């Protein structure tokens, strides 16, 4: 039985090794992904939800920039759409549940030429219980917005990292990833 298990694990590891799967941040802070993430500056985003998303993005980018601040070669422009929809209506027409959705359309732009390198969207939603206390409902909506801002920022950074790993946003002074990819 043990020999069967060992051979199954060995077969699975060989199959995964041949599929081309490799870590996104394989080269650490010197890799293509980290280099491109370090070149991004996040443009100001309108509104309170914009402030939350921009700070979440900057928190993630500063880690890629070794705490040195924003890069200058690329600019990330973001437009947000925030909506709250009531559902779960009781017999007295009172809403008992809300869904808050935060949707971001973002563009990665070459700051020198103005060329749009990546145009994508990210979104997340959250359910909110509407209770008898108006304060508690407002607090729940605010907490949901904070969580949604973090989730949308995570999606955006992940998508930009995949774009960078696949060769996007490179120029001659940005080193290529090992293996020429």
């Amino acid at each position: 039985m043990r020999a069967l298990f060992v051979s199954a694990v060995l077969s699975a590891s060989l199959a995964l090794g041949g599929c081309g799967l490799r870590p996104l941040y394989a080269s650490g802070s010197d890799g293509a992904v980290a280099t491109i993430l370090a070149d991004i500056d996040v443009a100001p985003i309108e509104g309170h939800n914009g402030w939350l998303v921009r700070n979440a993005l900057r928190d993630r980018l500063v880690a890629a920039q070794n705490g040195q601040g924003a890069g200058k070669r690329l600019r990330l422009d973001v437009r947000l759409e925030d909506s709250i929809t009531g559902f779960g209506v009781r017999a007295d027409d009172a809403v008992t549940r809300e869904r808050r959705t935060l949707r971001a359309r973002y563009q990665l732009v070459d700051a020198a030429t103005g060329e749009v390198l990546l145009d994508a969207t990210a979104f997340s939603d959250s359910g909110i219980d509407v209770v008898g206390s108006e304060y508690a409902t407002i607090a729940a909506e605010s907490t949901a917005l904070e969580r949604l801002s973090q989730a949308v920022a995570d999606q955006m950074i992940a998508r930009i990292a995949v774009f960078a790993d696949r060769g996007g946003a490179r120029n001659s002074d940005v080193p290529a990833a090992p293996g020429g990819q």
Side-chain angles (χ1 to χ4, degrees):
M1 185 68 168
R2 181 176 164 90
L4 180 63
F5 177 73
V6 170
S7 64
V9 170
L10 184 61
S11 301
S13 65
L14 290 175
L16 282 178
C19 75
L21 183 66
R22 62 187 172 86
L24 191 59
Y25 298 98
S27 300
S29 63
D30 295 328
V33 172
T35 302
I36 289 174
L37 289 178
D39 276 340
I40 297 174
D41 183 29
V42 182
I45 308 169
E46 185 177 322
H48 177 66
N49 53 6
W51 180 80
L52 289 170
V53 170
R54 184 170 191 248
N55 283 346
L57 287 167
R58 291 180 70 178
D59 287 347
R60 286 149 181 79
L61 291 172
V62 165
Q65 297 159 349
N66 297 322
Q68 297 176 6
K72 300 294 181 215
R73 192 171 72 84
L74 303 171
R75 182 182 72 243
L76 186 62
D77 295 330
V78 182
R79 286 186 303 284
L80 296 175
E81 178 185 317
D82 182 19
S83 64
I84 299 177
T85 306
F87 62 97
V89 181
R90 294 189 315 216
D92 63 352
D93 288 335
V95 173
T96 59
R97 193 97 170 120
E98 293 177 338
R99 169 164 285 139
R100 185 164 203 162
T101 304
L102 185 63
R103 187 175 315 274
R105 177 163 185 228
Y106 58 98
Q107 296 178 324
L108 187 63
V109 178
D110 186 314
T113 65
E115 176 187 5
V116 175
L117 305 172
L118 175 66
D119 189 350
T121 59
F123 83 96
S124 189
D125 63 353
S126 179
I128 302 166
D129 287 327
V130 178
V131 294
S133 167
E134 187 175 344
Y135 174 79
T137 301
I138 291 170
E141 290 172 352
S142 179
T143 301
L145 179 59
E146 291 170 10
R147 285 193 315 269
L148 294 174
S149 298
Q150 299 290 324
V152 166
D154 286 339
Q155 289 178 27
M156 292 168 66
I157 294 298
R159 176 63 181 95
I160 292 168
V162 168
F163 172 74
D165 187 55
R166 292 182 179 165
R170 288 205 187 122
N171 66 9
S172 59
D173 57 359
V174 176
Q181 293 185 13

